[in-house]
Amino acid sequence: MYADIDRIARGSNHAYGATDHLHEAHNHLRSVEVSAGMFGRTEAAANAEALAYRAHERHKRALDEHHRNLTWIGENTAGVATTLGEADHAGRDTVRRGGSVDRPE
């Protein structure tokens, strides 16, 4: 089996980099709030505020969820890269010693 361990590790790093961007976006979005009267003082403005508030909250939740998912992906791909790297080194060492690699039946 061939696994490009360096590429898997780079993928993990990209996932972590994306989590940083999501964190910044979330902080920026959180710093801006929908305020009363921002669209005026009509009934239509109140409806627009309610819609904007709900959309704002959905976006914050979506950023949080994407952050959690990318963190999970980064952690798991880093673990896979480590596990495959260790297995690769163990196999290499076994071959260098002149032994055979045990294969599951």
Side-chain angles (χ1 to χ4, degrees), residues 32 47 83:
V32 179
N47 290 337
T83 301

Side-chain angles (χ1 to χ4, degrees), residues 18-98:
T19 63
D20 292 341
H21 289 291
L22 285 166
H23 184 69
E24 287 178 38
H26 184 266
N27 285 342
H28 179 71
L29 193 58
R30 189 175 39 191
S31 71
V32 179
E33 292 297 328
V34 177
S35 59
M38 70 185 293
F39 294 109
R41 302 232 177 257
T42 65
E43 184 177 330
N47 290 337
E49 286 170 14
L51 289 172
Y53 177 80
R54 287 194 300 272
H56 188 254
E57 292 300 310
R58 275 194 312 273
H59 286 303
K60 287 193 297 188
R61 283 192 305 274
L63 287 171
D64 282 341
E65 185 175 332
H66 290 316
H67 187 275
R68 275 191 305 278
N69 290 338
L70 283 170
T71 298
W72 181 86
I73 290 168
E75 289 170 350
N76 282 283
T77 53
V80 165
T82 299
T83 301
L84 289 173
E86 290 169 353
D88 189 45
H89 290 285
R92 177 199 63 203
D93 294 343
T94 300
V95 169
R96 284 184 179 167
R97 284 192 311 270

